[in-house]
Amino acid sequence: MKLSTWIPPLVLALTLGLGHFSAQSQAQTHGMATTLIDDAASDFRQHMKPPPDQFRRVRLGQLTAPDGQTRQVLCGEFRVGAAGPWTAFATVRTSGYEQWLGGGAQGFCQAPGFKPDAGGDRSAALTRAVLAPSAQVSSAPAR
């Protein structure tokens, strides 16, 4: 068999295979973003009254520690009301999740081992998740 007759099928197979891994990676990143956004929104609603109504610079990424351990992190800033101060937050995937606020949160996404994904700013998605009417817990008694 001539070299030229098997190279194109090999290139095609490699291209299709890499496309599959890329699509799979994108789906995993989207799933992780959705999970961390839901976790962060739930935590804000449960522990802050009123919950934040504005978010900025929200991004998802991976943080690799010096020991090689990797964690998914959602980080950004929030505030309550138009004149409130902007406060840093980080939601970290653990066996569940941890939510850090203020100075302790800043180190996660400013660390040298943090690599943001290509998904861009997720501020709008987090705002929708926090303020979604269906996510609000009803105070009315069950009938």
Side-chain angles (χ1 to χ4, degrees), residues 3 13 17 22-24 27 34-36 39-40 59-62 77 82 84 93 97 102 120 125 140:
L3 184 63
S22 177
Q24 186 178 23
T34 301
T35 299
L36 281 174
D39 290 343
R59 58 197 190 278
L60 175 71
Q62 282 191 335
E77 297 177 311
R93 172 63 47 212
Y97 75 92

Side-chain angles (χ1 to χ4, degrees), residues 29-52:
T29 299
H30 176 73
M32 182 57 64
T34 301
T35 299
L36 281 174
I37 286 171
D38 289 346
D39 290 343
S42 175
D43 199 272
F44 282 124
R45 284 191 312 270
Q46 288 177 10
H47 300 292
M48 295 186 74
K49 303 296 181 204

